């Protein structure tokens, strides 16, 4: 699924050059559930951006299947994000003026589907996360856990092969965290997804098949 070879990412900050990732070589097989931990500023979010085709490395290559993400143009990267990769964020990132149904449908906009198909697929996605009766509710009318379920439905509605989650339980209490992780695991197993989770929560990380530690831009296998 993912093959990273000597991936380095640097940023210029005034007269300083900051290295966010340093010669990362990593394989993530299709269908694997991976947790990435590490200190703040260690490069976790940068790595997730690379995996999500949101940024390119300064050096090295990133391959997703047969696609070399480090070489593709913006248009092709946009197509891959629209069809192959689902994103989940700590802050939910829902549009407050739209209903749950409409928020999920936004993920289908780049696919130029007929309106009826968008509506049906969004409704089915909400039903799959237990929110069939909440489609007309706006985010402010939903609990934090329900908002994250809408965000998961939005990520899954386009049937991606990869799901990337950046601190998906960071804004939730312990009980709701466990409910959301149960749901993510269920979706991962049922759909055969490649699931990559960035988290500070060891209880979340321990649920993954594989744990990685990222510090000072370098990746090691966690025990």
């Amino acid at each position: 699924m993912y093959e990273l070879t000597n991936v380095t990412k640097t940023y210029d900050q005034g007269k300083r050059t900051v290295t966010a990732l340093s010669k990362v070589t990593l394989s993530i097989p299709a269908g694997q559930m991976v947790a990435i931990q590490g200190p703040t500023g260690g490069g976790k979010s940068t790595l997730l951006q690379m995996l999500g085709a949101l940024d390119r490395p300064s050096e090295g290559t990133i391959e997703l299947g047969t696609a070399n993400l480090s070489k593709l143009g913006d248009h092709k990267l946009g197509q891959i994000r629209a069809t192959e990769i689902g994103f989940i964020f700590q802050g939910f990132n829902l549009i407050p003026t739209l209903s749950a149904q409409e928020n999920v449908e936004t993920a289908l906009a780049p696919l130029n589907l007929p309106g009826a198909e968008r509506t049906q697929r969004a409704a089915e996605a909400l039903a799959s996360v237990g929110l069939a009766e909440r489609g007309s509710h706006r985010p402010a009318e939903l609990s934090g856990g329900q908002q994250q379920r809408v965000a998961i439905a939005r990520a899954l509605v386009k049937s991606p092969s990869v799901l990337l989650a950046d601190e998906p339980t960071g804004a939730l209490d312990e009980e709701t965290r466990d409910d959301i992780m149960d749901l993510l695991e269920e979706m991962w197993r049922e759909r055969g997804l490649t699931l990559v989770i960035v988290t500070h929560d060891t209880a979340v990380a321990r649920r993954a098949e594989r744990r990685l530690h990222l510090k000072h831009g370098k990746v090691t296998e966690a025990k």
Side-chain angles (χ1 to χ4, degrees):
M1 175 60 69
Y2 278 109
E3 290 289 341
L4 283 70
T5 305
N6 292 325
V7 170
T8 295
K9 182 63 180 181
T10 58
Y11 299 96
D12 291 329
Q13 291 187 351
K15 297 181 179 181
R16 296 176 59 235
T17 298
V18 176
T19 300
L21 296 175
S22 179
K23 297 183 179 180
V24 172
T25 295
L26 175 67
S27 295
I28 301 176
Q32 189 170 69
M33 179 179 176
V34 183
I36 302 174
Q37 293 183 281
T40 299
K44 299 187 303 299
S45 293
T46 299
L47 179 57
L48 209 64
Q49 288 179 333
M50 299 292 163
L51 297 177
L54 292 167
D55 200 357
R56 298 180 184 85
S58 304
E59 298 176 14
T61 60
I62 302 174
E63 296 177 343
L64 173 57
T66 60
N68 188 337
L69 303 183
S70 44
K71 300 294 185 182
L72 294 177
D74 291 342
H75 178 69
K76 184 60 177 177
L77 289 178
Q79 289 181 324
I80 289 174
R81 289 194 301 270
T83 58
E84 294 296 324
I85 303 171
F87 297 91
I88 302 171
F89 305 95
Q90 176 177 341
F92 316 137
N93 287 12
L94 301 178
I95 301 172
T97 56
L98 300 183
S99 67
Q101 170 82 22
E102 291 166 337
N103 266 284
V104 175
E105 285 188 35
T106 61
L108 298 174
L111 305 184
N112 296 317
L113 300 173
E117 184 175 349
R118 289 200 308 272
T119 298
Q120 179 181 349
R121 288 179 61 169
E124 291 172 350
L126 284 171
S128 74
V129 299
L131 293 180
E133 305 302 320
R134 299 283 184 167
S136 62
H137 289 65
R138 293 183 179 179
E141 300 171 310
L142 302 171
S143 68
Q146 289 171 333
Q147 289 185 62
Q148 193 60 297
R149 285 173 180 267
V150 174
I152 292 171
R154 180 184 58 192
L156 294 176
V157 70
K158 56 189 175 183
S159 299
S161 57
V162 177
L163 190 59
L164 304 178
D166 191 0
E167 297 285 357
T169 62
L172 306 175
D173 60 56
E174 187 173 306
E175 181 179 356
T176 308
R177 173 202 69 188
D178 292 341
D179 288 343
I180 291 298
M181 285 306 302
D182 288 344
L183 176 62
L184 284 175
E185 280 195 48
E186 178 184 348
M187 295 296 156
W188 165 63
R189 294 183 188 280
E190 286 184 355
R191 300 177 181 230
L193 294 164
T194 301
L195 174 57
V196 181
I197 300 176
V198 164
T199 182
H200 281 98
D201 192 332
T202 300
V204 170
R206 284 176 176 164
R207 299 180 67 150
E209 288 183 302
R210 180 184 182 192
R211 293 167 62 190
L212 302 175
H213 191 263
L214 187 53
K215 184 177 181 180
H216 301 317
K218 297 182 179 295
V219 172
T220 56
E221 297 278 347
K223 298 180 180 179

